[in-house]
Amino acid sequence: PAAPAPAAAAAVMSGAPGVTYPSEPTAKFGERRLIGMARATSDHAFNATIWDVVVDKEFQGQGLGKALCEQMIRTLLARDIGNITLFADNKVVPFYKSLGFVSDPEGIKGMFLYGS
């Protein structure tokens, strides 16, 4: 069974060190297992981009993705990074909007160049 949301979210927020990957699909009592992660890059001056927010399907719907995003946003803002961007699939746009992100602010559009 999935861990209770408050305990799992508290573990995410505390930054619990020492993640291991048990060979079995579900960790045994006392073992640690990676259940979610978020990643961003920054220029360390003004801008950051969130690239990945991933939560194991077994633990989705418990607020872990939101906790990961909120912690990342707090960390970036504390480092004076005021412009945080991300790219999102259409199906998760409402999730990011609930965190305060807006689509195409001031008509800004993402542009891409793909190598051949």
Side-chain angles (χ1 to χ4, degrees):
V12 168
M13 298 306 285
S14 70
V19 176
T20 60
Y21 299 88
S23 58
E24 298 178 15
T26 303
K28 296 176 184 168
F29 181 77
E31 290 183 326
R32 294 180 185 217
R33 168 177 141 188
L34 182 63
I35 60 171
M37 57 84 63
R39 174 177 77 101
T41 56
S42 172
D43 63 6
H44 301 284
F46 307 107
N47 305 295
T49 300
I50 297 173
W51 293 105
D52 301 294
V53 178
V54 181
V55 175
D56 186 311
K57 282 188 180 278
E58 183 180 342
F59 295 90
Q60 290 178 1
Q62 299 182 43
L64 298 177
K66 180 178 180 182
L68 286 167
C69 285
E70 288 175 342
Q71 180 61 40
M72 187 178 327
I73 292 165
R74 277 194 298 275
T75 299
L76 292 167
L77 293 174
R79 295 178 182 176
D80 292 326
I81 304 297
N83 184 25
I84 303 170
T85 61
L86 59 83
F87 298 93
D89 292 331
N90 284 332
K91 64 184 176 185
V92 294
V93 167
F95 169 76
Y96 290 110
K97 283 187 174 183
S98 76
L99 294 170
F101 286 90
V102 295
S103 298
D104 303 323
E106 301 175 24
I108 296 171
K109 299 288 183 187
M111 299 181 75
F112 303 87
L113 174 64
Y114 296 103
S116 52

